[in-house]
Amino acid sequence: MPAVSTTVPDPSRRYRAVILDMDGVVTDTASVHALAWKQLFDEALSQITSTLQAPFDAVHDYLNYVDGKPRTGGIESFLASRGLRVPPGSPDDEPGVLTVHGLAAAKQGYFQAILERDGIALFGSTVELLRVLHARGVPLALVSSSKNATAMVQQADLEKYFSRIVDGNEAARLGLPGKPAPDMFVTAARDLGVEPAEAIVVEDAISGVQSAKAGGFGLVIGLNREGAAERLAQAGADVVVGDLAELDVAALVVAPGE
């Protein structure tokens, strides 16, 4: 698909770092998450309420309520959309406990089972961009609400490309609110030694685009993996593409010493 732009990237402007989301940007795991969420909610809704509920929609509900958010935030957001809630519970709650943390634990189990069965798929154009930028010495960071992010990057042998990874575990350790708050992206930029305005962010989630925009990042690229081009633009993406092969991101970045 052609790029859908709200602004055309200024070819004379150069950025000093690139920060990427993981699911849907680097790894093709958004569909795995969507399936895991569907398994979780289709089972849980009947336990939470006796009122007949429509099944979880792996496109609409996923994009609007859980995509890009921390696990617990996604659970609260989706249940609120149905006028439902469960107690927060404790981070120690096991799968099967009808609390936010218990549901989060169950979702993690579904996700791991699907991933072990199907493996990790990568977006080749993103990996090629990582290779090119890393070879030039451009600072790169990964920002993901997923607590699986670091392990998945290691499994895919991509850890060497990133100077900084801010994932769900790191956010919890540092007390950072998840997307759409900008804190995770701002922390990554700071740790790379750049101001947000000097960095490019690549995101496929509405909440992630909102996060980067709120953080004042210089260029926010929205990846339209799920037919959400207009919503990505409305959320603040400066340019929306279907794949990074459609935009010469490397030409917009200057490496140290160049």
Side-chain angles (χ1 to χ4, degrees):
M1 61 165 280
V4 178
S5 300
T6 53
T7 60
V8 177
D10 181 354
S12 67
R13 183 173 180 183
R14 294 293 182 269
Y15 301 92
R16 296 178 52 211
V18 179
I19 303 174
L20 305 95
D21 179 37
M22 184 182 69
D23 296 316
V25 175
V26 179
T27 59
D28 189 7
T29 43
S31 59
V32 179
H33 280 289
L35 181 56
W37 281 117
K38 181 168 178 59
Q39 288 182 301
L40 173 75
F41 286 125
D42 285 355
E43 177 182 298
L45 285 173
S46 63
Q47 300 173 339
I48 295 170
T49 177
S50 59
T51 303
L52 184 63
Q53 296 282 325
F56 179 85
D57 188 301
V59 176
H60 177 270
D61 289 333
Y62 176 74
L63 291 175
N64 285 282
Y65 304 119
V66 301
D67 187 25
K69 296 180 181 179
R71 238 177 275 156
T72 53
I75 290 165
E76 291 171 333
S77 176
F78 172 70
L79 291 181
S81 77
R82 300 292 181 92
L84 303 171
R85 65 178 302 276
V86 294
S90 161
D92 296 327
D93 287 349
E94 297 287 336
V97 178
L98 210 57
T99 63
V100 171
H101 285 286
L103 293 173
K107 189 267 178 179
Q108 173 67 7
Y110 289 133
F111 176 78
Q112 287 181 323
I114 298 169
L115 200 62
E116 288 172 7
R117 183 189 69 201
D118 299 339
I120 299 175
L122 303 174
F123 288 106
S125 56
T126 303
V127 175
E128 176 61 15
L129 177 63
L130 292 175
R131 186 192 65 77
V132 169
L133 294 179
H134 181 260
R136 287 172 53 196
V138 174
L140 300 170
L142 185 80
V143 170
S144 173
S145 296
S146 174
K147 291 187 175 182
N148 300 296
T150 298
M152 290 179 63
V153 166
Q154 291 171 342
Q155 184 177 340
D157 194 27
L158 299 177
E159 190 179 22
K160 60 192 173 192
Y161 294 125
F162 297 106
S163 301
R164 185 74 169 93
I165 297 177
V166 181
D167 65 3
N169 293 308
E170 185 75 348
R173 185 181 71 83
L174 296 174
L176 302 176
K179 306 170 188 178
D183 302 61
M184 294 177 71
F185 280 115
V186 172
T187 296
R190 180 197 65 206
D191 292 348
L192 291 180
V194 302
E195 294 296 322
E198 299 176 302
I200 295 172
V201 168
V202 185
E203 260 284 2
D204 75 312
I206 303 298
S207 62
V209 168
Q210 293 170 331
S211 174
K213 203 65 180 178
F217 283 83
L219 181 67
V220 182
I221 300 172
L223 274 181
N224 179 30
R225 303 291 195 196
E226 300 289 344
E230 290 186 9
R231 282 179 290 177
L232 289 167
Q234 290 169 357
D238 298 302
V239 60
V240 179
V241 295
D243 188 87
L244 285 177
E246 299 171 17
L247 184 66
D248 190 356
V249 177
L252 300 173
V253 183
V254 59
E258 291 185 351

